[in-house]
Amino acid sequence: MKIAVLDELSRKKEALEVRSACLWAIRDFFHQEGFIEVETPIRLRAPAMELHIDAEPSGDLFLRTSPELHMKQLLAAGFSRIFQMGPCFRVGERGDRHHPEYTMLEWYRTDSDYMDILKDTRRLLLHVAEHLRMNASHHGRFASIPWQKEWWVLTVQETFLRWAGWDPVLAFDADRFDVDLVNCVEPALAEIEVPVVLKDYPAAAAALARLQEGNPAVAERWELYVGGIELANAYSELTDAQEQRARFEECASARAKNGSPAYPIDENFLAALSAMPPSGGIALGVDRLVMVLMGAASIRDVTAFQEG
Amino acid sequence: MYTASDLRKGLKIEIDGAPCVITDFQFVKPGKGQALYRCKIKNLITGATVDKTYRAVEKIDKPNLEQRELIYSYQDGDHYVFMDSTTYEQIQLDADVLGDQRFFLVEDMEVEMLFHNNNPIEVTLPFFVEKEIVETEPGVRGDTATNVMKPAKIDNGYELSVPLFINQGDRIRIDTRTGKYADRISKGF
């Protein structure tokens, strides 16, 4: 008798081998670069507050939606190059590119900004692709992403003017921004052969990013797209505790208005923020990176199991 | 009402009073943005397809649909008459609702009929139906191995491709979902 679950797992053997090689190459890169690997709590009292991200309750605590707030406390304590790779959880995110439990890579460096992080990212992905090319016995099966060619770096403003026909920096409309991003911009980016970076988001979409000095209409934030798939989100980190508190409070009232669950503000994080040096940081979806490397259509193809 | 998180491929919804089915569905959530539900939606009456993106907060109408089992009775000109075997109610359908399925009806056949606000909009036949070949080139004896096909007609004039070994007078089974030849019914009993 055939067991369907085992059949499905054995069909994923190649993807899981590529995934393993990918995890190895990521850790290898950061160790070579003098980063230390850290582990921060998976259960949190106060999840990072975002308007559209909900945390899974876990007893009296929450499962982390990102390790960001704890990692920044380490930066404030004098750690200058840190990375972490592990599970994160987001309620209700389920689709070809989402699963409520997924693997996130985050890294931070002090005395740097979002464009320094872009240099890390390019070197990291070249390192991973090269490791797979040298070691994998799966030649020719990978989607042929030309990582070594020059990446496109576009501002959000020029991107929207070009493909959506309006300027979100001049007059931001959050709802229209999201809809046009998925219906107009992302399909256009999917046609571009090389990796594409969208940078300088409207200030209203800054999240935890610093506003640009001399141009406070935009935040120093970028997102990386490969084959139209969003892979990573990077910031010049906001280090102004007062502004951060104001953004959290504004976010909390917007969440309340939406009927979303309320989260406490992480006071330890805010206290640490004033001691944090200027830093750049990034979150990269590891499952999606494996999807892109394999040319896989769904996150289910590159993860062994999906519960829930 | 449905909420956006109920949406999935195959779900039947109502848009501006018209019954529709979701033929393609994608959950998307741009970085830090809101959850969006991209759908391809087919109008069950006109067959027209549209793309629509729903936000998490949107409500979607639920169509008033009812599925009933009916028996096919007879053809009356351009009309096809079905009967509810418990209430004896008769229901008439036009050729355009049935499409090619009208060629596969046989007397006393049980069909599933989908009603929207009590109007019949979709008929599902049994997957296979038996029909007699009334017209085709003479068969090539013994040629059961090749995939070569030839044209043939059934009693009501419907044309399809059949294998070379099929003869006029043979009974075959047709797959009503595709309208294609399935197999020959062996004779000689």
Side-chain angles (χ1 to χ4, degrees):
Chain A
M1 197 183 83
K2 284 199 168 182
I3 303 171
V5 178
L6 297 186
D7 278 353
E8 202 194 325
L9 284 174
S10 49
R11 268 199 304 278
K12 290 180 184 171
K13 194 158 180 289
E14 186 189 3
L16 296 179
E17 283 168 3
V18 169
R19 186 182 177 103
S20 165
C22 205
L23 299 185
W24 189 90
I26 289 169
R27 290 205 162 90
D28 182 53
F29 173 81
F30 285 109
H31 288 304
Q32 282 185 27
E33 294 286 315
F35 279 70
I36 66 163
E37 181 166 8
V38 299
E39 291 169 295
T40 60
I42 290 178
R43 295 158 61 252
L44 316 176
R45 271 179 304 98
M49 193 124 46
E50 305 253 10
L51 180 54
H52 297 298
I53 297 176
D54 289 344
E56 189 78 56
S58 169
D60 294 337
L61 306 180
F62 298 94
L63 299 181
R64 67 181 180 192
T65 58
S66 138
E68 185 166 3
L69 304 190
H70 281 104
M71 290 183 80
K72 287 181 183 172
Q73 290 175 56
L74 290 167
L75 297 178
F79 293 79
S80 59
R81 274 165 287 174
I82 53 177
F83 80 100
Q84 175 163 208
M85 192 155 47
C88 288
F89 306 83
R90 294 180 179 184
V91 171
E93 304 196 358
R94 190 177 282 99
D96 284 343
R97 295 175 190 174
H98 293 83
H99 193 266
E101 175 175 349
Y102 65 104
T103 301
M104 187 111 98
L105 164 68
E106 295 209 358
W107 77 90
Y108 294 85
R109 33 162 102 234
T110 55
D111 305 308
S112 64
D113 68 8
Y114 71 148
M115 296 318 273
D116 296 317
I117 295 292
L118 181 53
K119 289 180 200 143
D120 284 343
T121 307
R122 182 178 161 86
R123 287 173 39 247
L124 168 71
L125 294 180
L126 282 169
H127 185 80
V128 171
E130 179 63 9
H131 175 71
L132 288 179
R133 199 182 64 78
M134 298 292 287
N135 295 281
S137 51
H138 321 287
H139 286 305
R141 296 288 302 272
F142 297 121
S144 49
I145 309 289
W147 301 105
Q148 72 292 345
K149 281 195 188 166
E150 196 177 339
W151 297 7
W152 283 26
V153 180
L154 308 170
T155 65
V156 167
Q157 186 174 46
E158 64 183 328
T159 302
F160 269 71
L161 282 171
R162 180 160 172 188
W163 285 298
W166 63 290
D167 182 350
V169 174
L170 194 68
F172 188 65
D173 175 337
D175 181 65
R176 189 178 174 197
F177 187 80
D178 292 343
V179 172
D180 284 356
L181 186 59
V182 302
N183 286 340
C184 309
V185 174
E186 288 185 0
L189 299 185
E191 301 298 315
I192 298 166
E193 188 198 12
V194 296
V196 185
V197 171
L198 297 195
K199 70 173 187 123
D200 301 343
Y201 276 66
L208 277 70
R210 184 176 76 196
L211 299 185
Q212 200 155 63
E213 225 178 274
N215 185 13
V218 299
E220 292 194 345
R221 168 186 168 196
W222 58 255
E223 294 235 9
L224 172 64
Y225 283 88
V226 180
I229 296 183
E230 177 203 335
L231 269 194
N233 177 59
Y235 301 143
S236 297
E237 301 294 348
L238 179 65
T239 51
D240 180 335
Q242 213 178 331
E243 185 177 342
Q244 183 67 75
R245 181 183 296 279
R247 286 195 202 172
F248 276 163
E249 280 166 358
E250 192 184 332
C251 182
S253 65
R255 284 184 62 86
K257 222 173 92 187
N258 277 1
S260 305
Y263 302 135
I265 285 179
D266 188 337
E267 292 296 341
N268 290 342
F269 163 69
L270 283 180
L273 204 53
S274 21
M276 187 174 126
S279 304
I282 180 168
L284 183 149
V286 175
D287 312 273
R288 289 193 192 167
L289 175 60
V290 183
M291 279 177 70
V292 162
L293 290 167
M294 296 287 299
S298 167
I299 193 167
R300 290 178 293 277
D301 300 334
V302 300
T303 45
F305 301 97
Q306 299 89 35
E307 298 276 339
Chain B
M1 296 291 254
Y2 290 116
T3 60
S5 58
D6 296 322
L7 298 176
R8 62 185 186 278
K9 199 171 165 176
L11 185 74
K12 292 188 168 107
I13 59 173
E14 187 170 290
I15 298 174
D16 301 330
C20 299
V21 63
I22 298 175
T23 56
D24 203 13
F25 171 78
Q26 204 187 6
F27 171 87
V28 290
K29 196 162 186 279
K32 309 291 175 195
Q34 62 182 316
L36 295 168
Y37 303 80
R38 297 177 73 186
C39 300
K40 271 200 199 316
I41 297 166
K42 188 176 148 193
N43 184 313
L44 285 172
I45 291 171
T46 64
T49 301
V50 290
D51 291 327
K52 214 164 150 60
T53 302
Y54 290 98
R55 293 147 183 84
V57 292
E58 284 184 81
K59 299 267 186 283
I60 299 105
D61 286 331
K62 215 180 235 184
N64 170 25
L65 293 173
E66 187 197 5
Q67 184 103 348
R68 285 164 62 185
E69 270 191 13
L70 296 168
I71 308 285
Y72 173 63
S73 296
Y74 60 92
Q75 183 181 354
D76 175 14
D78 256 358
H79 305 300
Y80 296 79
V81 182
F82 296 82
M83 194 180 69
D84 185 318
S85 54
T86 46
T87 64
Y88 300 108
E89 182 195 354
Q90 287 204 339
I91 288 151
Q92 255 190 16
L93 285 194
D94 291 347
D96 59 344
V97 175
L98 283 161
D100 271 355
Q101 289 186 311
R102 69 184 190 276
F103 296 116
F104 309 136
L105 292 169
V106 279
E107 208 173 298
D108 293 332
M109 177 187 264
E110 271 190 18
V111 304
E112 295 269 339
M113 204 176 282
L114 185 67
F115 292 81
H116 176 246
N117 296 334
N118 294 320
N119 297 316
I121 56 166
E122 200 180 86
V123 177
T124 309
L125 271 44
F127 291 163
F128 295 99
V129 59
E130 286 184 32
K131 285 286 185 186
E132 186 182 325
I133 297 295
V134 297
E135 196 184 311
T136 190
E137 297 286 311
V140 181
R141 185 172 286 279
D143 188 2
T144 55
T146 60
N147 294 324
V148 182
M149 306 289 266
K150 61 176 182 178
K153 260 186 203 169
I154 58 175
D155 54 359
N156 51 32
Y158 178 76
E159 283 187 41
L160 75 170
S161 295
V162 298
L164 292 181
F165 59 81
I166 297 290
N167 276 304
Q168 195 169 310
D170 280 351
R171 292 185 68 77
I172 61 160
R173 292 203 305 159
I174 297 173
D175 187 327
T176 61
R177 294 161 294 183
T178 59
K180 288 190 173 148
Y181 168 87
D183 54 10
R184 176 169 62 172
I185 292 156
S186 47
K187 34 185 183 181
F189 289 102

